[in-house]
C-alpha cells in the first residue's frame, strides 16, 4: 500500500492538484457522480491530504472509478484543488500496479482496442449483438430490438456496418500501434490483460510484414 501511495505522491501533477482543504464540501455538493454513487471528491482530497494510506488503497478498489472526470470540483474548489485530477493519477497508478478494480473497470474497453486496431472502427451498429457483450451487463439485451432504428438514426450510411465503414490502410494501423507503443498504452495493456496484449501483438506483427512487403513493391 505504501508503494502505491508513494507512486501517487511522486506524480509530477500531484503538488499542483492538491493544495490544502478547508473541508467545505463544495466539491462534493457540485459533483454529479456524488449524487448517484458512493463517491465524494472531498473524501478523496482529505484522504490524500492526511496521507491515510490504508483508506486511499480502499478508495482505489471502487470509489475512484465513479468519478466522471468532468472537473466541476476543480472549478469550484477555493483552494484550487483538483479532486478529479487526483483521481486521474490514482487510476493510472491502479493500472500500473495491476489492481483488480482497474482490470474489472477497463475490461470492456479491451474489446474497443481490439476492434480499433483490427478494423479501424471502435464500434459500428452491426457489432452490437447481445451475445457478444456479456460483460456489458443485462441492459445490452435491450438493444437487440432497436438495432434497425439505431442504424437509421446514424446519418451516414457508410458508418452503419463494418463492411460499409471506412477502410483503414496498413500505414494507419502501423501508426496507431506505434502511438500506443510510444505512449505506454501497450505496456499498460500488458499489465491489465496479457491475453489481449498477445492477440494485438500477433496481429500487428502480421500487419508489419504486410506493410514492409507493400513498401518493397512500391520501390
Amino acid at each position: 500500500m505504501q508503494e502505491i501511495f508513494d507512486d501517487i505522491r511522486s506524480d509530477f501533477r500531484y503538488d499542483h492538484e492538491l493544495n490544502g482543504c478547508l473541508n467545505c464540501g463544495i466539491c462534493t455538493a457540485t459533483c454529479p457522480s456524488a449524487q448517484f454513487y458512493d463517491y465524494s471528491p472531498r473524501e478523496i482530497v482529505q484522504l490524500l491530504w492526511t496521507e491515510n494510506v490504508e483508506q486511499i488503497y480502499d478508495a482505489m478498489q471502487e470509489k475512484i472509478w465513479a468519478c466522471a472526470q468532468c472537473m466541476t470540483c476543480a472549478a469550484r474548489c477555493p483552494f484550487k484543488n483538483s479532486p478529479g485530477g487526483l483521481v486521474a493519477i490514482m487510476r493510472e497508478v491502479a493500472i500500473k500496479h495491476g489492481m483488480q478494480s482497474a482490470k474489472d473497470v477497463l475490461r470492456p474497453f479491451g474489446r474497443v482496442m481490439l476492434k480499433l486496431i483490427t478494423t479501424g472502427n471502435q464500434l459500428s451498429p452491426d457489432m452490437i449483438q447481445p451475445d457478444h457483450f456479456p460483460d456489458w451487463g443485462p441492459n445490452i439485451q435491450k438493444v437487440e430490438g432497436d438495432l434497425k432504428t439505431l442504424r437509421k438514426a446514424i446519418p451516414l450510411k457508410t458508418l452503419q456496418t463494418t463492411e460499409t465503414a471506412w477502410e483503414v490502410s496498413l500505414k494507419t494501423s502501423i501508426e496507431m500501434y506505434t502511438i500506443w507503443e510510444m505512449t505506454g498504452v501497450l505496456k499498460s495493456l500488458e499489465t491489465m490483460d496479457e491475453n489481449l496484449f498477445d492477440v494485438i501483438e500477433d496481429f500487428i506483427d502480421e500487419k508489419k510484414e504486410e506493410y514492409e512487403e507493400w513498401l518493397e513493391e512500391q520501390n
Side-chain angles (χ1 to χ4, degrees):
M1 283 188 281
Q2 186 62 47
E3 184 182 354
I4 287 175
F5 176 63
D6 289 343
D7 279 350
I8 294 171
R9 191 169 48 183
S10 64
D11 189 282
F12 72 97
R13 296 163 292 180
Y14 186 79
D15 289 338
H16 177 73
E17 310 289 37
L18 184 62
N19 302 297
C21 182
L22 285 172
N23 230 339
C24 65
I26 193 170
C27 54
T28 298
T30 57
C31 173
S33 295
Q35 296 182 39
F36 299 99
Y37 301 102
D38 179 20
Y39 169 71
S40 163
R42 183 190 62 80
E43 180 186 10
I44 298 297
V45 169
Q46 280 290 315
L47 292 177
L48 292 169
W49 185 247
T50 58
E51 301 188 357
N52 191 326
V53 175
E54 186 172 343
Q55 289 193 33
I56 288 169
Y57 183 80
D58 288 344
M60 293 173 74
Q61 303 304 314
E62 184 173 352
K63 291 182 178 178
I64 61 169
W65 304 103
C67 172
Q69 293 285 284
C70 67
M71 300 299 170
T72 302
C73 51
R76 297 290 188 273
C77 178
F79 260 83
K80 300 188 183 303
N81 293 319
S82 175
L86 293 167
V87 165
I89 297 171
M90 295 168 79
R91 287 177 174 178
E92 290 173 16
V93 172
I95 292 170
K96 176 185 175 183
H97 286 268
M99 292 178 69
Q100 189 60 45
S101 62
K103 292 180 179 179
D104 292 342
V105 170
L106 297 177
R107 185 172 295 116
F109 294 97
R111 189 190 316 279
V112 173
M113 291 185 71
L114 182 61
K115 291 295 182 187
L116 194 60
I117 200 74
T118 56
T119 70
N121 298 279
Q122 289 189 36
L123 193 67
S124 62
D126 64 329
M127 293 180 186
I128 303 175
Q129 304 293 338
D131 293 340
H132 296 172
F133 294 88
D135 49 334
W136 282 14
N139 285 339
I140 193 66
Q141 299 295 332
K142 299 175 184 175
V143 175
E144 184 176 23
D146 300 322
L147 273 179
K148 290 184 179 179
T149 303
L150 286 172
R151 288 170 182 161
K152 287 179 181 177
I154 297 175
L156 300 176
K157 289 184 178 180
T158 53
L159 301 180
Q160 293 179 359
T161 69
T162 51
E163 286 77 16
T164 55
W166 58 89
E167 293 183 8
V168 176
S169 69
L170 278 173
K171 183 181 178 184
T172 301
S173 292
I174 300 300
E175 286 178 345
M176 188 185 306
Y177 178 84
T178 303
I179 291 170
W180 288 1
E181 189 174 41
M182 296 187 69
T183 56
V185 170
L186 287 177
K187 186 177 180 182
S188 296
L189 176 63
E190 188 175 15
T191 304
M192 289 289 97
D193 190 335
E194 193 171 349
N195 290 332
L196 177 60
F197 173 80
D198 290 340
V199 169
I200 289 180
E201 281 278 283
D202 290 343
F203 175 80
I204 209 65
D205 283 344
E206 292 180 13
K207 288 291 183 184
K208 282 180 176 176
E209 290 179 9
E210 290 178 27
Y211 185 58
E212 289 171 2
E213 290 173 2
W214 180 82
L215 286 176
E216 289 178 2
E217 291 175 3
Q218 302 308 306
N219 295 327

